[in-house]
Amino acid sequence: MVVEKSKAMPMAIKKTNVETMKKAQRKKKLAPYLFVLPNLLIFLIFIIIPALMGLVYSFTSYNGVSDMKFTGLENYIRLFNNAEFWKIMLNTLIYAALVVPLVFAISLGIAMLMIKEMKARGLFRAIIFWPTMISFIIVGLSWKWIFGDSFGVITYLLEAGGLPPIKWLSDPVIAKITIVIATVWARVGFFMVIFIAGLQSIPASYYEAAQIDGANRSQLFWKITLPLLKPTSLLVFMLLIVESVKAYPLIFSLTGGGPAKETTLIVQYIFEFGFTKSEVGYASAMSVILFLLIGIFTLIQFKWAEGGKID
């Protein structure tokens, strides 16, 4: 009987250890999901559910207060027959077509300067990055103070110098240029930081080997820097396009969308119908079109980056 008892005890201990190990493995597998669960819940509550609700609203005549009435494709038919909507959409595309390459090129150029050894490099980086810390509303109001047609600093200096004033905010073409200048000034610092991180990840040995083989600066840039910056460039392009298409506070505070809606972009137009005119269903249809537009741009970028693979 003693021998049987001594055999039974190790078996029980062994079984307990196995169960403990299984329990630990289950906890280990569950831990990553618990860590991302709060973010998933936030994403679900504030992104997925509102997006699905917007899609549903786009097929209704919902005004934000009354009961929803299903209207089928009526909002979309009205949208495609609305000439003003296509004008606003063209404004948005022109704005994105100007802002994206300008911010990309200037940010990359400044980043390449800022990674070189120089005196007060940290100070220069801080000065260039500083505008990104300011609210877009404040940026717009500040540039309005500079470019104001009747009270702007530049207008005052031009008149003091005997030069004719420039209609920075009331001329349709110049107003578009003005909002692009303000946007570039406000966003270059942020993307400079991203490019600096990408440039610093390129091993210096690549440049040293190429220089030994006789490569000049232009060849170093096109053969080494630009190809190895492809993942960073993809990220910058995606962020810039999404920001450009969604731009609203800076432009609204600078021009108010004028003159004659020449600087009104699609988000302001959606806001106008959704909250000012209480046409939530119609505004939701515009949001769906905007979502598809951003999706098309994103797919093109992923195609450009060979399926979005990042080494």
Side-chain angles (χ1 to χ4, degrees), residues 55 74 104 116 125 135 203 280:
L55 180 63
E74 186 178 307
F104 184 93
K116 293 181 179 179
R125 288 184 179 182
S135 163
V280 177

Side-chain angles (χ1 to χ4, degrees), residues 143-170:
W143 280 89
K144 192 172 185 176
W145 181 73
I146 295 172
F147 286 116
D149 289 346
S150 57
F151 56 85
V153 174
I154 294 180
T155 302
Y156 173 78
L157 292 175
L158 289 174
E159 289 179 347
L163 298 172
I166 298 175
K167 301 293 182 183
W168 294 102
L169 304 179
S170 56

Side-chain angles (χ1 to χ4, degrees), residues 95 136 187 190-191 238-247:
Y95 173 79
F136 281 130
R187 300 307 293 153
F190 176 77
F191 293 102
M238 289 179 63
L239 292 176
L240 272 174
I241 286 181
V242 172
E243 279 191 5
S244 302
V245 176
K246 291 169 54 183

Side-chain angles (χ1 to χ4, degrees), residues 210-242:
Q211 286 172 333
I212 291 172
D213 291 338
N216 55 36
R217 288 185 178 181
S218 175
Q219 290 170 324
L220 291 177
F221 176 76
W222 291 106
K223 300 294 183 182
I224 296 178
T225 303
L226 210 54
L228 293 179
L229 268 183
K230 199 170 185 178
T232 306
S233 301
L234 173 67
L235 173 66
V236 169
F237 262 123
M238 289 179 63
L239 292 176
L240 272 174
I241 286 181
V242 172

Side-chain angles (χ1 to χ4, degrees), residues 31-165:
Y33 297 101
L34 293 176
F35 279 117
V36 300
L37 184 61
N39 288 335
L40 286 176
L41 288 174
I42 292 173
F43 187 73
L44 179 70
I45 294 171
F46 293 103
I47 303 294
I48 300 298
I49 292 176
L52 293 175
M53 291 174 65
L55 180 63
V56 173
Y57 290 158
S58 70
F59 297 103
T60 69
S61 60
Y62 186 53
N63 63 8
V65 179
S66 63
D67 294 334
M68 285 188 290
K69 182 182 177 183
F70 182 73
T71 57
L73 296 175
E74 186 178 307
N75 287 328
Y76 291 95
I77 294 171
R78 178 186 169 192
L79 196 61
F80 282 98
N81 290 321
N82 183 357
E84 189 175 73
F85 168 76
W86 294 111
K87 176 186 175 182
I88 302 300
M89 190 61 80
L90 182 61
N91 289 345
T92 306
L93 294 177
I94 291 173
Y95 173 79
L98 292 173
V99 165
V100 172
L102 279 175
V103 174
F104 184 93
I106 295 173
S107 303
L108 177 58
I110 295 175
M112 293 182 69
L113 288 175
M114 291 295 111
I115 61 170
K116 293 181 179 179
E117 292 296 333
M118 65 172 74
K119 289 183 179 179
R121 183 175 65 177
L123 177 62
F124 287 128
R125 288 184 179 182
I127 291 173
I128 296 168
F129 183 75
W130 169 71
T132 66
M133 301 171 66
I134 305 173
S135 163
F136 281 130
I137 296 289
I138 303 300
V139 171
L141 293 174
S142 300
W143 280 89
K144 192 172 185 176
W145 181 73
I146 295 172
F147 286 116
D149 289 346
S150 57
F151 56 85
V153 174
I154 294 180
T155 302
Y156 173 78
L157 292 175
L158 289 174
E159 289 179 347
L163 298 172

